[in-house]
Amino acid sequence: MLNVEQKLEILESYPQLQRKNVSLGRVNFHYEDSAYEKKIVALHIHPNGNGYIYAGLLPNYETDAKGFVNIRDYSETDLRTLLDATLQAMSYNPDAIEVVEKAPASKESAPPVTLSSGGGVWINEEGQTLTLKYDNDMWCVYAGQDLEMAYESRSEAGEYLHEEGFKPQAQA
């Protein structure tokens, strides 16, 4: 079993993770380049050695309701294996939409800008807009400030929006 200093040393060896000190001497690590709304990879690494790593996108791990695995008794090999798999899984989101924004016409032809997004503003032919946002582990569709629908997956939310005649704003 690793002590807290060893766990922090391992986590800090991943340059893509950013350390965030939180209350009671605990430490979180964020992955800002995540393809998902979820950014926290390591949660509440505690001075007593307890802590959690996000594994909600990985098969074969028993997680809590929020997708975290307790790493209290993990070895260095186990911890690095889990971190590598989590970072790889968080780096690509198959449910993210690819939108191509057309730049305003100019004298020189510039290539289109491609964005990868899980949410954003959707618009229909009448100009009405809905906003898709990942919130509290759900994909929520808002009409202004009002919640219209909530889905467990991005694909379900996208299917609903398409059925209702909405497209991502950049494609409309």
Side-chain angles (χ1 to χ4, degrees):
M1 179 172 94
L2 301 170
N3 63 35
V4 68
E5 290 83 14
Q6 292 167 317
K7 288 176 183 168
L8 291 174
E9 187 177 313
I10 291 167
L11 286 159
E12 289 171 345
S13 74
Y14 286 82
Q16 62 270 52
L17 296 180
Q18 293 181 338
R19 180 182 173 140
K20 307 275 184 175
N21 294 329
V22 293
S23 62
L24 304 173
R26 298 175 300 185
V27 179
N28 290 351
F29 284 83
H30 293 224
Y31 178 40
E32 296 300 330
D33 292 332
S34 174
Y36 293 83
E37 293 285 327
K38 173 71 76 185
K39 304 285 186 205
I40 298 176
V41 171
L43 178 70
H44 295 162
I45 306 301
H46 194 277
N48 70 10
N50 202 18
Y52 303 89
I53 301 292
Y54 184 68
L57 299 171
L58 304 175
N60 305 323
Y61 282 94
E62 286 190 38
T63 63
D64 65 14
K66 293 187 177 184
F68 286 91
V69 172
N70 187 304
I71 59 162
R72 181 177 187 85
D73 298 323
Y74 269 45
S75 69
E76 179 176 356
T77 302
D78 292 338
L79 181 55
R80 287 189 182 280
T81 299
L82 175 58
L83 284 168
D84 291 343
T86 292
L87 291 172
Q88 182 177 359
M90 291 176 76
S91 296
Y92 172 71
N93 183 348
D95 290 331
I97 56 170
E98 289 290 326
V99 250
V100 176
E101 286 187 0
K102 294 181 181 171
S106 66
K107 293 180 183 178
E108 293 182 26
S109 173
V113 178
T114 302
L115 303 172
S116 179
S117 171
V121 177
W122 293 59
I123 190 167
N124 67 9
E125 290 181 3
E126 289 83 42
Q128 298 168 318
T129 61
L130 294 175
T131 303
L132 178 60
K133 180 179 175 187
Y134 190 75
D135 190 24
N136 292 324
D137 295 325
M138 298 289 288
W139 286 95
C140 300
V141 178
Y142 292 93
Q145 298 292 324
D146 298 326
L147 176 65
E148 179 153 323
M149 300 293 286
Y151 296 93
E152 290 184 1
S153 76
R154 165 64 183 76
S155 58
E156 288 176 311
E159 186 177 318
Y160 165 77
L161 288 162
H162 283 290
E163 287 174 359
E164 294 295 318
F166 286 83
K167 294 180 182 179
Q169 189 171 26
Q171 290 183 351

